[in-house]
Amino acid sequence: DIQMTQSPSSLSASVGDRVTLTCRASQSISRSLNWYQQKPGRAPKVMIYDASSLQSGVPSRFSGSGSGTDFTLTISSLQPEDFATYYCQHTYNTPTTFGGGTKVEIK
Amino acid sequence: EVQLLESGGGLVQPGGSLRLSCAASGFTFSSYGMSWVRQAPEKGLEWVTGLSGSGDNAYYADSVKGRFTISRDNSKNTLYLQMNSLRAEDTAVYYCAKETAVVGKPTFDGWGQGTLVTVSS
């Protein structure tokens, strides 16, 4: 199975900050990488699919990049509603697997 | 609007069985693959099993293979998860999730609210 490793596991940031989250795959997955946002007690929500495509309805301050094994999710200007846990997921083969998550907290 | 409503969770003893259901609306159910994704308390997300839109192709995580069975009734727009030989490590919130394609693309663009399964004596 492909292992997905996210870093950092948590970070503290202020409203307005630019934030970058990292996800690394244990083998090349081309651009088969999604990012999800999850708030406490809620289901996840897809933000970015296929490494860099913005899901409909997601604010443009979110962007994704990368290919192969290294990927990033960037929030250009952190807003109060963005404080949440973010998970990456590969869709390269079966089984799909998720990273351990990065919790973005208020500084 | 995609709506997914899970039911059937609860407390079950180790070795017991449980059947989860997921009622879907707001989209053409048979045109999309569906999956179950679980989340143990205070832990991350784990894909459990997926099924193609036709119901012909099923996929399982090694952790549940031989114990769990996914199925669907496209006439009732409902997805099921039969869970047998349950273990303490199966304790989790189970989410029903809609895929973005009929088969082979487990990008999840719709999720239910989740149903809690607790395996304990």
Side-chain angles (χ1 to χ4, degrees):
Chain A
D1 298 0
I2 297 173
Q3 307 303 314
M4 307 301 295
T5 303
Q6 290 186 241
S7 60
S9 56
S10 66
L11 67 88
S12 295
S14 300
V15 173
D17 283 352
R18 180 182 182 90
V19 171
T20 299
L21 284 57
T22 297
C23 177
R24 175 166 289 174
S26 60
Q27 68 180 71
S28 177
I29 57 170
S30 186
R31 294 178 59 80
S32 301
L33 191 284
N34 302 326
W35 290 94
Y36 295 84
Q37 176 194 69
Q38 187 180 33
K39 296 180 179 180
R42 304 288 298 274
K45 171 186 173 183
V46 64
M47 308 298 279
I48 300 287
Y49 64 95
D50 293 344
S52 61
S53 296
L54 193 68
Q55 176 70 4
S56 175
V58 173
S60 59
R61 62 181 178 273
F62 289 88
S63 63
S65 65
S67 66
T69 60
D70 294 317
F71 301 86
T72 60
L73 173 70
T74 299
I75 309 172
S76 61
S77 178
L78 201 61
Q79 297 302 300
E81 60 268 30
D82 301 336
F83 292 94
T85 299
Y86 293 85
Y87 293 95
C88 63
Q89 174 215 14
H90 86 80
T91 59
Y92 187 74
N93 60 12
T94 300
T96 180
T97 54
F98 293 87
T102 293
K103 186 174 184 178
V104 177
E105 299 176 299
I106 300 173
K107 196 171 197 178
Chain B
E1 180 192 359
V2 171
Q3 292 197 351
L4 299 169
L5 184 62
E6 301 97 338
S7 59
L11 175 63
V12 61
Q13 292 187 339
S17 298
L18 213 54
R19 188 196 200 201
L20 307 183
S21 299
C22 171
S25 61
F27 63 102
T28 304
F29 185 65
S30 61
S31 294
Y32 295 92
M34 298 292 295
S35 279
W36 291 95
V37 177
R38 69 185 179 185
Q39 187 168 35
E42 304 304 315
K43 299 294 185 183
L45 301 167
E46 180 189 15
W47 173 81
V48 175
T49 177
L51 186 62
S52 61
S54 65
D56 290 342
N57 298 288
Y59 310 89
Y60 296 92
D62 286 345
S63 58
V64 306
K65 202 171 293 182
R67 300 187 299 122
F68 290 12
T69 302
I70 189 172
S71 62
R72 64 193 296 161
D73 185 336
N74 286 345
S75 69
K76 295 182 178 179
N77 289 351
T78 302
L79 180 74
Y80 303 98
L81 181 63
Q82 178 66 43
M83 304 185 294
N84 299 331
S85 303
L86 282 160
R87 306 166 180 167
E89 55 264 35
D90 295 319
T91 294
V93 172
Y94 284 73
Y95 293 103
C96 165
K98 171 189 170 291
E99 301 177 12
T100 56
V102 66
V103 64
K105 188 66 173 179
T107 292
F108 306 121
D109 65 349
W111 296 70
Q113 84 290 349
T115 187
L116 177 62
V117 172
T118 302
V119 184
S120 175
S121 55

